[in-house]
Amino acid sequence: MNEIRTAPNKYEKILENNNIKPTAMRLLVLQFLLNKNVATSLTDVENYFAKSDRTTLYRTLKTFVEKGISHKIDDGTGITKYALCEDNCRCEIDTDLHLHFHCTKCSETVCITEYKIPPIHLPKDYIAENVNLVVKGICDKCNSK
Amino acid sequence: MNEIRTAPNKYEKILENNNIKPTAMRLLVLQFLLNKNVATSLTDVENYFAKSDRTTLYRTLKTFVEKGISHKIDDGTGITKYALCEDNCRCEIDTDLHLHFHCTKCSETVCITEYKIPPIHLPKDYIAENVNLVVKGICDKCNSK
DNA sequence: TGCCCTATGCAACGGAAGTGCATTATTTGC
DNA sequence: GCAAATAATGCACTTCCGTTGCATAGGGCA
């Protein structure tokens, strides 16, 4: 497509593989999310990139979710968080959905990807399309302090 | 306490048993919640009691939660819902917490009290205090239409 | 009756998500 | 290389919901 350009770096590749045009802002946000290992709110991103506009960041995160490299997290705080998906995640029920842990002490939300959500039993005629499991409590870091 | 008064009806008893002064508004809201078998938002209550004030209803629901006859539900829609607890519910993890089902078709949220939340495995040093499990999909009513 | 405490009603605030639109940057076709 | 088209960005503004402050009304109790 653009052989003339410099070879895309790691971050550009991630975006391009998911049909996201790698603009400067998107690359920075992607990098920021990759470096953070906790779920990140729009406000978090906004504070980090003080110079940039909230709407742009909002739409950047939205694009990431729509294109499937990130997922939205509702951790019950009322503030939407975002976290990058694991490789090969298709955000599908029974295979990809993991639980989220919100620490009431440090207020951080993390993805617990090691443990998938156990199979949910539903009454007759109910069809599950999506599952959100949030555990609140004390995280390992705060617990060991 | 007040032998002179008319014997308290079913609704008054519920409130008095939980140290809630049975005012007219509270009795009406309680009755409304009892009749609805789906989780109810403040706006729902507000629309039903068109004459009453939003704040009063808000605080009524808040009181119900604080006194333990109702629980707050975060079903991921961003709108807080309320539902009356089952009898003897102490809202405790591993015994009382049930899952909530949000139907994407009729937009209603129901408590699935028949199925408790399965035991959650957490990595080392994590302490669970609260669990919120929301399943989204198609409910039985919408599915059979 | 008068006091006190609680419940209620009105108004306003605040945070966060989301939208409309003009501007700037980047492709694409010629 | 230039102009048109398309996409991304930035600013302003709106909306929605939860929440709080404060003044008023009501009900129990001395």
Coordinates of all heavy atoms in Angstrom, one line a residue, chain C residues 7-18:
Chain C
dA7 P -36.9 10.0 58.0 OP1 -37.3 8.5 58.0 OP2 -35.6 10.4 57.6 O5' -38.0 10.7 57.1 C5' -39.3 10.7 57.5 C4' -40.1 11.6 56.5 O4' -39.8 13.0 56.8 C3' -39.8 11.4 55.0 O3' -41.1 11.3 54.3 C2' -39.0 12.5 54.6 C1' -39.5 13.6 55.5 N9 -38.5 14.7 55.9 C8 -37.2 14.4 56.4 N7 -36.5 15.6 56.6 C5 -37.4 16.6 56.2 C6 -37.3 18.0 56.2 N6 -36.2 18.6 56.6 N1 -38.3 18.7 55.8 C2 -39.4 18.0 55.4 N3 -39.7 16.7 55.3 C4 -38.6 16.0 55.8
dT8 P -41.1 11.1 52.8 OP1 -42.4 10.4 52.5 OP2 -39.9 10.5 52.4 O5' -41.2 12.6 52.2 C5' -42.3 13.4 52.6 C4' -42.1 14.8 52.0 O4' -40.9 15.4 52.6 C3' -41.9 14.8 50.5 O3' -43.0 15.5 49.9 C2' -40.6 15.5 50.3 C1' -40.4 16.3 51.6 N1 -39.0 16.6 52.0 C2 -38.6 17.9 52.2 O2 -39.4 18.8 51.9 N3 -37.4 18.1 52.6 C4 -36.4 17.1 52.9 O4 -35.3 17.4 53.3 C5 -36.9 15.7 52.7 C7 -36.0 14.6 53.0 C6 -38.1 15.5 52.3
dG9 P -43.3 15.5 48.4 OP1 -44.7 15.6 48.2 OP2 -42.5 14.4 47.8 O5' -42.6 16.9 47.9 C5' -43.1 18.1 48.5 C4' -42.3 19.3 48.0 O4' -41.0 19.3 48.7 C3' -42.0 19.3 46.5 O3' -42.3 20.6 46.0 C2' -40.5 19.0 46.4 C1' -40.0 19.6 47.7 N9 -38.8 18.9 48.2 C8 -38.5 17.6 48.4 N7 -37.3 17.3 48.9 C5 -36.8 18.6 49.2 C6 -35.6 19.0 49.8 O6 -34.7 18.2 50.2 N1 -35.4 20.3 49.8 C2 -36.3 21.3 49.4 N2 -36.0 22.5 49.6 N3 -37.5 20.9 48.9 C4 -37.7 19.6 48.8
dC10 P -42.4 20.9 44.5 OP1 -43.6 21.7 44.2 OP2 -42.2 19.6 43.7 O5' -41.1 21.8 44.3 C5' -41.0 23.0 45.1 C4' -39.6 23.6 45.0 O4' -38.7 22.8 45.7 C3' -39.1 23.7 43.5 O3' -38.8 25.1 43.3 C2' -37.9 22.8 43.5 C1' -37.5 22.8 45.0 N1 -36.7 21.6 45.4 C2 -35.5 21.8 46.0 O2 -35.1 22.9 46.2 N3 -34.8 20.7 46.4 C4 -35.3 19.5 46.2 N4 -34.6 18.4 46.6 C5 -36.5 19.3 45.5 C6 -37.2 20.4 45.2
dA11 P -38.4 25.6 41.8 OP1 -38.9 26.9 41.6 OP2 -38.7 24.5 40.9 O5' -36.8 25.7 41.9 C5' -36.2 26.4 43.0 C4' -34.7 26.2 43.1 O4' -34.5 24.9 43.6 C3' -34.1 26.3 41.7 O3' -33.0 27.2 41.7 C2' -33.6 24.9 41.4 C1' -33.4 24.3 42.8 N9 -33.5 22.9 42.9 C8 -34.5 22.1 42.4 N7 -34.3 20.8 42.6 C5 -33.2 20.8 43.4 C6 -32.4 19.7 43.9 N6 -32.8 18.4 43.8 N1 -31.3 20.0 44.6 C2 -30.9 21.3 44.7 N3 -31.5 22.4 44.2 C4 -32.7 22.0 43.6
dA12 P -32.3 27.7 40.4 OP1 -32.4 29.2 40.3 OP2 -32.7 26.8 39.3 O5' -30.7 27.4 40.7 C5' -30.4 27.1 42.1 C4' -29.3 26.0 42.1 O4' -29.9 24.7 42.1 C3' -28.4 26.0 40.8 O3' -27.1 26.3 41.2 C2' -28.6 24.6 40.3 C1' -29.1 23.8 41.5 N9 -29.9 22.6 41.1 C8 -31.1 22.6 40.4 N7 -31.6 21.4 40.3 C5 -30.7 20.6 41.0 C6 -30.6 19.2 41.2 N6 -31.5 18.3 40.7 N1 -29.6 18.7 41.9 C2 -28.7 19.6 42.4 N3 -28.6 20.9 42.3 C4 -29.7 21.3 41.5
dC13 P -25.9 26.4 40.1 OP1 -25.1 27.5 40.4 OP2 -26.5 26.1 38.8 O5' -25.1 25.1 40.5 C5' -24.9 24.8 41.9 C4' -24.2 23.4 42.0 O4' -25.2 22.4 41.7 C3' -23.1 23.2 41.0 O3' -21.9 22.8 41.7 C2' -23.6 22.2 40.0 C1' -24.6 21.4 40.8 N1 -25.7 20.8 40.1 C2 -25.9 19.4 40.2 O2 -25.1 18.7 40.8 N3 -26.9 18.8 39.5 C4 -27.8 19.6 38.8 N4 -28.8 19.0 38.2 C5 -27.6 21.0 38.7 C6 -26.6 21.5 39.4
dG14 P -20.5 22.8 41.0 OP1 -19.5 23.0 42.0 OP2 -20.5 23.6 39.7 O5' -20.4 21.2 40.5 C5' -20.8 20.2 41.4 C4' -20.4 18.9 40.8 O4' -21.5 18.3 40.2 C3' -19.3 19.0 39.8 O3' -18.4 17.9 39.9 C2' -20.1 19.0 38.4 C1' -21.3 18.1 38.8 N9 -22.5 18.5 38.1 C8 -22.9 19.8 37.7 N7 -24.0 19.8 37.1 C5 -24.4 18.5 37.0 C6 -25.6 17.9 36.5 O6 -26.5 18.5 35.9 N1 -25.6 16.5 36.6 C2 -24.6 15.8 37.2 N2 -24.8 14.5 37.3 N3 -23.5 16.3 37.8 C4 -23.5 17.7 37.6
dG15 P -17.1 17.8 39.0 OP1 -15.9 17.7 39.8 OP2 -17.2 18.8 37.9 O5' -17.3 16.4 38.3 C5' -17.9 15.3 39.2 C4' -18.3 14.2 38.3 O4' -19.6 14.5 37.6 C3' -17.3 13.9 37.1 O3' -17.1 12.6 37.0 C2' -18.0 14.5 35.9 C1' -19.5 14.4 36.2 N9 -20.3 15.4 35.7 C8 -20.1 16.8 35.7 N7 -21.1 17.5 35.1 C5 -22.0 16.5 34.7 C6 -23.2 16.7 34.1 O6 -23.8 17.7 33.7 N1 -23.8 15.4 33.9 C2 -23.3 14.2 34.3 N2 -24.1 13.1 34.0 N3 -22.2 14.1 34.9 C4 -21.5 15.3 35.1
dA16 P -15.9 12.0 36.2 OP1 -15.3 10.9 37.0 OP2 -15.1 13.2 35.7 O5' -16.6 11.4 34.9 C5' -17.6 10.5 35.1 C4' -18.5 10.4 33.9 O4' -19.2 11.6 33.7 C3' -17.6 10.3 32.6 O3' -17.9 9.0 32.0 C2' -18.1 11.4 31.7 C1' -19.4 11.8 32.3 N9 -19.7 13.2 32.2 C8 -19.0 14.3 32.5 N7 -19.5 15.5 32.2 C5 -20.8 15.1 31.7 C6 -21.8 15.9 31.2 N6 -21.8 17.2 31.1 N1 -22.9 15.2 30.7 C2 -22.9 13.9 30.7 N3 -22.0 13.1 31.2 C4 -20.9 13.7 31.6
dA17 P -17.3 8.6 30.6 OP1 -17.0 7.1 30.7 OP2 -16.3 9.5 30.2 O5' -18.6 8.8 29.7 C5' -19.8 8.1 30.0 C4' -20.8 8.4 29.0 O4' -21.1 9.8 29.0 C3' -20.4 8.1 27.5 O3' -21.5 7.5 26.9 C2' -20.1 9.5 27.0 C1' -21.1 10.4 27.8 N9 -20.6 11.8 28.0 C8 -19.3 12.1 28.5 N7 -19.2 13.4 28.5 C5 -20.4 14.0 28.1 C6 -20.9 15.3 27.9 N6 -20.1 16.4 28.2 N1 -22.1 15.4 27.5 C2 -22.8 14.3 27.2 N3 -22.5 13.1 27.3 C4 -21.2 12.9 27.7
dG18 P -21.4 6.9 25.4 OP1 -22.4 5.8 25.3 OP2 -19.9 6.7 25.2 O5' -21.8 8.1 24.5 C5' -23.2 8.6 24.7 C4' -23.3 9.9 23.9 O4' -22.5 10.9 24.6 C3' -22.9 9.9 22.5 O3' -24.0 10.1 21.7 C2' -21.9 11.1 22.3 C1' -22.2 11.9 23.6 N9 -21.1 12.7 24.1 C8 -19.9 12.4 24.6 N7 -19.2 13.4 24.9 C5 -19.9 14.5 24.6 C6 -19.6 15.9 24.7 O6 -18.6 16.4 25.2 N1 -20.7 16.7 24.3 C2 -21.9 16.2 23.7 N2 -22.7 17.1 23.3 N3 -22.1 14.9 23.6 C4 -21.1 14.1 24.1

